[in-house]
Amino acid sequence: MGGAGGRRLVGMNNTPTTGTSTVSTAATEPCGLLADKVVFVTGAGRGIGAAAARLFAGEGARVLLAARTEAQLKAVTEDIRAAGGTADYVLCDLADAAGVRASVDRAVELYGRLDAAFNNGATIVPPGPMDRVTEADFDHLYAVNLKGPWLSMAAEVAAIRATAGKGAIVNNSSVGSLMANPELPAYGAMKRAVNSLTASAAVTYGPEGIRVNAVAPGTTLTEMVRDWENDSPGIVERLNSLTPLGRPADPEEIAQAAAWLLSDRASYVTGTVLRVDGGMRA
């Protein structure tokens, strides 16, 4: 896959040339799944968000990374720049409405427009049955995992509408939103609500040319899942036993699905919750 700024030579009939010969009338076209797009990524300091930011930049996008931890954001941004990509970062708390709007506006300030967004940022609380979820934990999950994507989508739609005109948004859901989730009941409930917001936004903004989809990852080796394993030893092995592919995903595998949904190759896909779960829900 092409990196940022990568190009290929094509002839007058748009067929790639081969060998060492050149065509005097040849033109160049940008390479990369997300070439020349401006993409905003939340939760971009680690896990799936960091993998997505690196992948999107490698596919030609200019990316703005958003999260709460500056050291993580700075490290990922520097990695992208060192690889030849274009990236910057902004501190953002998804529970802060003004901060979310300012972060999305920052993408427009830096790059002139917004084409796409990956709403990946989320939090988790200790696993356990519903009656053991504290009210404080429930409220925290609501503020970050449900209200955060709602705030983000509202700001992103406004920015896309005012600049690029058309675009795409992908929300990060969970396979745990598609079934009973007794160990993470509040988390699953918030993610199921994100699926509903995704569908509603797709219907609302589709006529404007703004596509809205979600990915529903299965077990993925992120810091969040490692924390869950520490709280519930053996959970990853048990989840792998329920997964036909027999293993967890690497964060980049989820990012690849999000990249496709954000790209023009998914131009007729909207309102979908795409399972990226190794067959867990097959």
Side-chain angles (χ1 to χ4, degrees):
M1 294 182 179
R7 310 188 80 84
R8 65 186 173 95
L9 192 67
V10 296
M12 293 181 66
N13 64 352
N14 293 322
T15 301
T17 62
T18 58
T20 58
S21 62
T22 59
V23 180
S24 61
T25 56
T28 56
E29 292 180 354
C31 277
L33 196 63
L34 299 170
D36 299 326
K37 293 188 183 297
V38 174
V39 185
F40 177 67
V41 182
T42 69
R46 62 181 194 168
I48 294 170
R54 292 187 179 99
L55 174 66
F56 298 171
E59 290 290 347
R62 291 172 286 169
V63 294
L64 181 64
L65 289 66
R68 293 187 303 167
T69 306
E70 185 168 17
Q72 293 176 342
L73 289 171
K74 186 176 181 181
V76 178
T77 299
E78 290 176 349
D79 286 347
I80 291 171
R81 290 172 176 172
T86 301
D88 211 320
Y89 69 86
V90 61
L91 294 177
C92 177
D93 183 345
L94 291 176
D96 175 18
V100 171
R101 288 191 295 268
S103 297
V104 173
D105 289 344
R106 180 62 178 154
V108 176
E109 292 171 7
L110 282 171
Y111 303 128
R113 70 177 193 274
L114 183 67
D115 298 287
F118 181 37
N119 296 318
N120 164 77
T123 190
I124 198 169
V125 297
M130 188 170 63
D131 61 301
R132 295 184 189 174
V133 177
T134 69
E135 185 175 359
D137 281 347
F138 188 94
D139 289 345
H140 181 56
L141 284 171
Y142 164 75
V144 176
N145 292 8
L146 179 54
K147 187 177 180 181
W150 169 66
L151 291 170
S152 298
M153 280 193 287
E156 291 152 6
V157 166
I160 292 170
R161 180 187 282 153
T163 58
K166 296 181 180 181
I169 296 170
V170 172
N171 297 315
N172 199 1
S173 181
S174 169
V175 71
S177 72
L178 305 175
M179 54 188 173
N181 200 338
E183 293 180 83
L184 295 170
Y187 179 87
M190 302 305 165
K191 290 296 189 178
R192 184 172 292 199
V194 168
N195 298 345
S196 179
L197 284 179
T198 298
S200 295
V203 171
T204 302
Y205 305 113
E208 299 179 43
I210 299 175
R211 297 182 298 104
V212 186
N213 293 288
V215 290
T219 312
T220 307
L221 289 181
T222 63
E223 291 84 348
M224 188 179 292
V225 167
R226 291 187 179 97
D227 289 342
W228 190 11
E229 174 70 22
N230 288 335
D231 286 328
S232 305
I235 186 64
V236 172
E237 182 178 355
R238 183 165 66 81
L239 292 172
N240 288 343
S241 72
L242 301 174
T243 304
L245 292 186
R247 63 171 179 85
D250 182 85
E252 186 175 343
E253 293 180 285
I254 311 304
Q256 290 281 359
W260 178 75
L261 286 171
L262 290 175
S263 79
D264 294 338
R265 296 183 194 177
S267 57
Y268 201 59
V269 181
T270 196
T272 290
V273 178
L274 177 62
R275 300 193 310 271
V276 192
D277 63 357
M280 184 182 287
R281 290 289 289 161

